[in-house]
Amino acid sequence: MKGEEGPGVRGRGPGIGDRLLAWYRQGHRDLPWRRTADPYRIWVSEIMLQQTRAQAVIPYYQRFLARFPTLESLAAAAEEEVLALWSGLGYYSRARNLRRAAQQLAAASVFPQDYGAIRALPGIGDYTAAAIASIAFHRPHAVLDGNVLRVIARVENDPSDVAASSTRERFRAVAQQWLDPENPGLFNQALMELGATVCLPRNPLCLVCPLAEGCRARQEGVASQLPVKLRKAVPVKLDGTLLIVRRGRSVLLRQREATARRMAGFWDLPSPQDLPAARTGEHFGEIRHSITHHHYTLTVMAACVAARSVPGPEFRWCRKEDFAKVPLSTTARKALKLAGIL
Ligand code: SF4
């Protein structure tokens, strides 16, 4: 649809695709995953970018690919090592699914190019399948992420609730209508880049926006009020305590159950419920941690415990220099930093 126009800009000069691509080609952020055409590397970046900002992803992406430069190397890796490299990035099911999908693909010896086949891999939803299919294989599938939703809501001046699936489907059709089928990957990246750097959530930079001329929200002066998102989860506050039990250069860790809803298999600091016989000592302070609408405040205390009172194989003593080799939970990392151990 090169040169074709979206509903909000009909009859007003070059189409959205042309203006966006011209703007993107003039300059954009230099992100490492934009320097490759390797589907494996694009896939890893897209999985890491789910729920995580680009700048935060960069060091993880580089470390991960230095250790797993190919799909085969990831497929052959132990889950614990993959999780250790993901540690701190959050949403760990992403890492598990990535490894599982790598094993499937390595066994099949081929990376699928078709949207449906990519979408069928573990951990890949509509957005990621469209991103990989368009960026790595130039397939004409529009992506719809938070940035794209915001740009569409504003250009169209559409106050519909973007949390509603009906709105998302309608916006997906708009994105697909805007898409330049000759340059789908570039177009998708340009639209997301516009949302990330120009059409900002609070103060959109309309003066430098390539879509300003046809943007209805800008014309009506309502850009900052869009998009509308109605359903908001009620925040839940949770308190707890983490214990730092030391023996020489080692700290006692406890592995989370394989069935745990959050960070299954990761190593955490024990709680007083895990070690009922522990005697607490120094109070290091508190750490805060939020996952979606759950907000944790965790008190971090030193504790000592008799070796015979450490129950079960889920516990292990871990030396300070080995922390990088085990998948440590984010809360354990924060607590160990607070205590000056990490
Ligand atoms: S003109 Fe302003 S509100 Fe409209 S798309 Fe551009 S930055 Fe966003």
Side-chain angles (χ1 to χ4, degrees):
M1 191 191 67
K2 195 165 169 34
E4 200 173 321
E5 294 163 356
V9 290
R10 193 160 286 127
R12 294 184 183 129
I16 282 187
D18 291 330
R19 280 184 273 155
L20 255 184
L21 289 183
W23 167 80
Y24 189 68
R25 285 183 172 124
Q26 278 170 14
H28 49 78
R29 291 174 300 171
D30 179 27
L31 300 169
W33 43 88
R34 288 184 177 158
R35 295 180 216 138
T36 180
D38 178 355
Y40 168 66
R41 287 169 182 253
I42 291 168
W43 171 43
V44 170
S45 73
E46 289 299 339
I47 299 293
M48 287 188 169
L49 287 163
Q50 293 170 2
Q51 320 277 354
T52 311
R53 295 174 66 82
Q55 288 305 322
V57 163
I58 291 173
Y60 286 93
Y61 175 80
Q62 289 170 332
R63 273 197 300 272
F64 196 87
L65 288 175
R67 172 60 190 86
F68 306 122
T70 61
L71 192 141
E72 291 73 21
S73 58
L74 175 59
E79 183 179 274
E80 184 159 282
E81 193 184 359
V82 177
L83 292 177
L85 279 165
W86 206 274
S87 183
L89 203 48
Y91 300 96
Y92 295 93
S93 58
R94 294 184 296 175
R96 290 195 176 87
N97 283 329
L98 193 63
R99 177 172 163 274
R100 272 178 53 219
Q103 289 171 335
Q104 283 184 20
L105 294 175
S109 303
V110 64
F111 201 109
Q113 301 194 7
D114 173 63
Y115 172 90
I118 299 171
R119 176 75 176 78
L121 290 168
I124 293 193
D126 294 337
Y127 163 80
T128 309
I132 296 171
S134 64
I135 297 169
F137 302 113
H138 313 291
R139 301 292 169 107
H141 295 280
V143 296
L144 195 71
D145 71 348
N147 286 318
V148 175
L149 284 172
R150 185 166 61 255
V151 174
I152 291 175
R154 288 172 174 176
V155 170
E156 299 292 303
N157 191 10
D158 189 328
S160 308
D161 175 17
V162 292
S165 55
S166 55
T167 306
R168 297 173 87 90
E169 282 318 304
R170 204 170 62 252
F171 282 22
R172 189 185 307 284
V174 173
Q176 194 63 37
Q177 191 187 351
W178 286 1
L179 185 79
D180 178 346
E182 289 173 25
N183 299 288
L186 218 54
F187 174 90
N188 280 335
Q189 291 181 85
L191 191 52
M192 291 189 282
E193 182 79 354
L194 187 81
T197 63
V198 174
C199 195
L200 302 170
R202 291 219 178 100
N203 297 305
L205 309 175
C206 302
L207 287 176
V208 296
C209 177
L211 307 187
E213 197 186 322
C215 177
R216 290 177 174 163
R218 185 188 71 88
Q219 289 161 2
E220 300 290 324
V222 295
S224 296
Q225 295 162 34
L226 296 170
V228 172
K229 192 169 187 180
L230 293 180
R231 279 185 236 137
K232 235 184 173 178
V234 180
V236 179
K237 290 189 175 176
L238 298 158
D239 296 322
T241 300
L242 295 175
L243 301 179
I244 297 186
V245 184
R246 303 183 74 166
R247 190 175 71 184
R249 293 182 56 75
S250 299
V251 174
L252 187 64
L253 299 179
R254 176 183 177 280
Q255 190 167 32
R256 299 177 67 82
E257 294 79 11
T259 53
R261 275 183 56 231
R262 190 174 68 78
M263 303 188 82
F266 269 68
W267 291 87
D268 216 335
L269 291 169
S271 69
Q273 293 73 31
D274 299 323
L275 298 173
R279 281 185 291 117
T280 52
E282 185 181 352
H283 173 219
F284 292 112
E286 289 174 342
I287 58 162
R288 293 180 203 288
H289 185 61
S290 295
I291 302 168
T292 62
H293 59 291
H294 293 95
H295 305 287
Y296 295 86
T297 301
L298 298 169
T299 303
V300 183
M301 315 261 321
C304 54
V305 61
R308 65 177 182 287
S309 341
V310 175
E314 69 273 30
F315 288 88
R316 97 187 212 192
W317 293 98
C318 182
R319 289 188 313 170
K320 193 176 162 181
E321 50 271 34
D322 292 333
F323 283 151
K325 297 180 197 156
V326 294
L328 271 184
S329 71
T330 309
T331 47
R333 278 189 187 284
K334 286 184 179 175
L336 290 165
K337 273 190 190 146
L338 178 72
I341 296 171
L342 197 66

